[in-house]
Amino acid sequence: MANLGEQNDSIRSRSSRSPQHYDQYRSASSLAAELPYQSQRHDPYRLQRPSTSPTISIAVDPVALITTECITVTSAMRKHSRWAQSSVSAILGGGTPGHEVGRAPKSDEKELSPRQQQGQSSKALNGLARVDDTLANRWGIRGKKGRSIRDNPLMSAFARLRHDLRGCTDIRNFDIPSLLHPFLQVIRSSSTSAPITSLALVAITKFFSYNLIGRESPRLSLAMQLLSAAITHCRFEASDSAADETVLLRILKLMEGMLSGPGGDLLGDESVCEMMETGLSMCCQVRLSELLRRSAEMSMIAMCQIIFERLKSLEIESGEDLDAIEVASRDGTNVLKMDPTANGTAVTSSQRSSDEPRSSATIEHSEEGQSGAIGYQSPSVPQNNPETSEATPTNTVDTNIAVSGRSVDQSSEIPIPIQPYSLPSIRELFRVLVDLLNPHNRQQTDTMRVMALRIIDVALEVAGPSIAKHPSLATLAKDDLCRHLFQLVRSEHVALLHESLRVAGTLLSTCREVLKLQQELFLSYLVACLHPRVEIPREPGIDPALYEGVPQAPKLVKPAASQASSGRSTPVPVKDRQKLGMEGGARKPDAREAMVESIGALSRIPSYLVELFVNYDCEVDRSDLCEDLIGLLSRNAFPDSATWSTTNVPPLCLDSLLGYIQYIADRRDDLPIFEGYPDRKKLREHRARKKIIIRGATKFNEDPKSGIAFLSSEGIIDNQDDVHSVVRFLRGTTRISKSVLGEYISKKSNDQILEAFLDLFDFSGKRVDEALRDLLNSFRLPGESALIERVVTVFSKKYCDTTTIEGIEDKDAVFILTYAIIMLNTDLHNRNIGAQKRMTFNDFAKNLRGVNDGKDFAPEYLQEIYNSIKTNEIILPDEHNNKQAFDYAWEELLLKTRDGGFTVLCKTNIYDADMFAATWKPIIATLAYVFMSASDDAVFSRIVAGFDQCAQIAAAYNLTDAFDHIIFCLSAITTLASKEPPKTTLNTEVQTEKGSVMVSELAVKFGRDNKAQLACVVLFGVISGNEAKINQGWNHIVRIWINLFANSLIPATFPKSSTILDLPAISLQTPSQVIDRGERPSDGGLFSSFTSYLSSYAADDPPEPSEEELDSTMYTVDCIQACSLSTIFSEVLSMPADASKPLVQALLDQLPKESSPIVVKPDRPTSAPIRINGHQSTAHGISYDPSVVYLLELATIIALRDGDTIAAVGESVADALQNVVRDASNIHPLIVSRAVFYLLHLLNASQDHSFARAPVILHTISSFDQPILEKSALYILRGLAICIKSPSPLRNEITNTPDFWSTIQSIQSTPGEPAAAGVFELLESVINTGPPAVTADNYEAAVSLLNGFAVAGSVGAVEEQKLERSTRRTKSGRQSKPQDNEAVIRGSKAVNMIYQLTNRVPFLIKQSHLERNEAWINYWSPIFQALRTQCLNPCREIRQQAFSCLQRSLLSPELASADHQEWTAIFGEVLFPLISRLLKPEIYQSDPIGMSETRVQAATLLCKIFLHYLVLLSEWDGMLDLWLKILDVMDRLMNSGQGDNLEEAVPESLKNILLVMSNGGYLVPPEDTAKGTSSEIWEETWKRVDRFLPNLFVEIFPTPPPTAPLEQQERQNQQVVVPPPPQGSVAPVAAAILPTITPAEKTKEAKEVD
């Protein structure tokens, strides 16, 4: 520090003062001591705020402490040779009479008004300022020979203070200016050394620290001003550098304490500016040590925090009227000028003109007797007094010069009131700090800029929003601060770049509301710098589809400009950031990392990206900043970004992305706030319009005509034929190429467009060059001369029409002048032209001689044009990258800010849905990529949370595309959704005591992949509860289900499937081998394992799974169980109908396509068929894929849930099922059978819909090949049973469809008990369930089917005969009861059901409207034919039942009628053929024992039926033939010769018939012909009967003698069992024959009927 005086001449120039200053100083000090203190309650500017410094209590007496400090300072001074001969009074603390310096104001003194107090404060300040370097020459040093030595005023001041303190009992009531007076003298004195000055500073610091000076201390405001003036003008002798810097450090500490202490808010604007100037000067002094400069910077930061905090208080005081503060502070702003120096040179640019004298604030004196005041002086070099110079120390440190750069020599007093500092000082401080950032000021170093940036950052952190609210401060932030910052961020200086980015981030985070366009510029630059231009490397094992959505380049990047032949770059359509040279480029890795950190800091503001989306992405003329930033973070989160940045960049970007997701997720449940925010619908319209304009601009840049046509078709341009509409768009958009625009409007065919385009400009009051500059800023002037001429011609005309300039004659003159200006612009600024060859003004003027209608242009006019072009090139800013282009574009940007509006701050969640919809693609792609490439558990945890939050956001806002993509990514990571199903050839079932597990290739591989397991759990965790939000994502989920099902990892049944379908579990493939580990020891040793391997190899079996494979499989099982798939399936079955459509479609999409494969029979069998995903080959070459059944069943269950699901997905499911059923010949029967059941079940449930038609389905089923039908029989029957279970139109439709009966007939004929039982149950449902389903259409088919069941019951004959033989062998009198035979039971029931159909015959005949004969044949004949057939059934039980039913049917009262005679066919078609068949040996041999009895029953039945209908037959013409036929049948029965009971039964039955006929008068001897009966019957009967029973007729009708007595005739008549019935009676005839039926037969018949 000792060399400071040598290095700075200004310090030495201030080292001496004239002796007269001492007397003046004494006078000033006395005046200051006498001034009463100003009451704090009368201070209107006092800010009530607590002290920021902690209160420290002291253990000693405050007065004693002050006295000790006085003695400490004076003791140090006495040790100096200058004060070695101090007087006794100075040591003892004696006072000078007449001076009451330290007294407190008396209580009876009148309190001064504020103006009087301010005036006296000014006097005190001026009096104190008179102390200068001459003190050392007048006091305390050896004077000229003979002079006496008097006490130095510095020593006397301390003595007076000690004297005044003797009577002080409460230091808080002591006058503070008097208390500080001696110490301030020491600080201001240049004759003191650094240690002495340091002691004075320490003492004052203690006073503040120990709270000896408090808020209520007397005259605190004046004391603060005095103290500020003293420390900012501190001077001392330079000696030791360490001691010197210690003084400066203590000054910094004291200034910091003053601002933060109780009187900090009492400092005036001038004082604050001086203090800040002092601190900044210390920060900028390169000669000071690094430690001191850093300490000064830290102090400045602390003080700036306090100063800018003041802005908040000002806002509270002024309320909402901030403009009042601005108006009130204008005068102060004009006079407050800070000018910190570095090495004696000003480092900031003042806002004054260069010829204006610089003024500085100081405390000056006036002549004796005049009042002092705070004023301003113009600097001047002091005149050295020889006497003063002689005694002046050579080395002094003057903070007034070396630090603050201010002088205190001359006075120019301008009285102003001392008010607490406010906006003027804050604005001046902010201005100086911003000026320190100017990158083009060579007086400033990067170190100074870094220091200023740190201070500004703190200021913004403390009061950024307040700065934005005050117009004057906001203007500085919007203009100068942003201008400098955006140039500094291009610096390669690491520290400068870091601090610039930090300040820019803080500025945007606090003041972005007023920095809309500036923010766009800054962020666009960062995006352009950071976004890589390389493709994402394709890593093996990662699906490229996972990269989709990550942009390869941001939207705002434009292609590079092409090069023209002239060497000038051809302009391209660019945004403001490119005009400002902020188009990005290659930056160093550390710089990229710093930029990423800056973006990350901004993105950590919860609403920041929302605000970008609303203010930029949703505005037509702004960039898509939100999308670009998300794309940037996503792209740089990929690991390869570390190759061009640093390894920290990917995690930083990932953290920002996850934070963005977190904020949206946190806001998801907040109540939406709409008031005060833009309408979402309008923003969506703006975004849509913006996309159209971007597409149209792209088309325009390629082909202007097509672009305009497109924009017109989309409504952007109202009418493409209206040139005004076209040019309004071309002029108003920034997205089209200005080069293309220039060429387009300058074409000859577009003259109207060119004229309309120029009509949009206002050239009034502008010079030609100014008008031309405005015009050429809107488009690029084409290079072809003809096009240029056309533009200039129209421009000249428009200019002359709108502007009248004196000295320009006509438009031709304007035309030539415009051309000359263009040539001048090119000549002066073309780099290829040397400086000596450039056009001068004389050359320019010479070229224009006589072109102004024969006259010359005014030289002054041309000179102005020349100077303007020379200093400011007419350019498109994107053509150059220099300061001129930057300044021009910056001014243009500022002009746009006037119309750009404010940034909308969005503390709401109403835009989150649209924002996430626009940005989810790169986010999810990044999460997926990092998930697959990460290895750290913490990363996995964050990624899992990110996926979950993305899914919840997508579900909450119904963003199905995003949700589907999340599912796709997670499915891909699980490896379970592969389109190529895994092989299941080696699937092995391992059974243990606790259960069994299927070891498969998929299970082992999945169990080894921890990432895949984690992804699986995350996937199904995301799905759970959000099933209704999924659309295309079901395709991937279904594939996972299929693969898990095929490998037995999930159940083969679904929840609710038992209640909906009631089917057994789906059949899975048979494992290649089954290993029971429960029967063998767990540890068999190496030899055992080797033996097992060899045995399996020899048997051509796959080797047993190892323990590791089994463990991996168990991991897989545990993982799948953790996914809670059962819960998901339950939720799936409860989804809304519309939400089920995508799932059902996904299920059906996984079905194999219809095909007709050609199966080639192999020449030799293969050892083991290959099974893929459960496909098991059959002998027919058709494989069984259980997954198909799985898909169909799940789809069917979903469709069958309720009516809504049937309406929504029933048709698609039915179509898929019908496709399977139609292709039955190429599909495995197991699949076909269940598909048929699903289809029929769906048919029953969809009766109200027309997409499933029963006839079509039944026809398809009936066309099955017999093998397929046999294997599908049970499922077909179950499905049909469901359809006809209850009365419905469907039941009638099915039962009346011929294919129904043909199908069940085919099934009934298939072998196997279950099929027959199923068909019979179905038939019972049709016949027995009311209302009857048997109609005219299905009557015959039903009878035929029943007859078939009865025929099938013939198998019971074998068992009956075996049982009979067994009974005979045992010679037991009791016959064993045969075991129940289902076929016999069904046959018996079938016969009975045939009989029941007779009740329907009359109704069917009546309904059919057929002729009687035809109707009888159609409805009665089938029943009789069936019963006749069953009367021949080898099974006795069925045969007996058939005879009983036949008899009842033939005796039915509905059968016969006198109105028709079709019924008579019962003899020729039923009874006669029956007896004829019974007489055949093969029939007899089918049951030799029982068939004999059957013949008897048949003969008896024939007789009974004949007698029953005898009356009706008597009226029939064919009675004789019928009777003769009956006699022939009896003859055959009598002569059958098979040794049965017919020989007894036939004569008896015939005898009864003859008697009844005779008794009824139908059989009369010839002699009785008088009765009207033909004797032909008698004669034919006699002949026939006599043929096989010669004596019967005679026995019955003996020829009586002519005179036979009456008693004999009566006896003959009494031989008849039943008397003859009356004429026309039927019942008595039937009764007459009943005695011929044995009682046993009656009992059996009754049981069968029951």
Side-chain angles (χ1 to χ4, degrees), residues 174-214:
F174 195 83
D175 186 50
I176 300 304
S178 300
L179 175 63
L180 298 180
H181 170 67
F183 299 97
L184 299 184
Q185 282 185 313
V186 172
I187 295 172
R188 291 290 299 264
S189 175
S190 61
S191 62
T192 56
S193 62
I196 296 174
T197 305
S198 181
L199 290 174
L201 292 169
V202 169
I204 295 176
T205 303
K206 282 185 178 181
F207 299 160
F208 281 98
S209 300
Y210 294 161
N211 204 26
L212 303 182
I213 301 175

Side-chain angles (χ1 to χ4, degrees), residues 590 810 1097:
D590 291 340
D810 53 19
Y1097 180 78

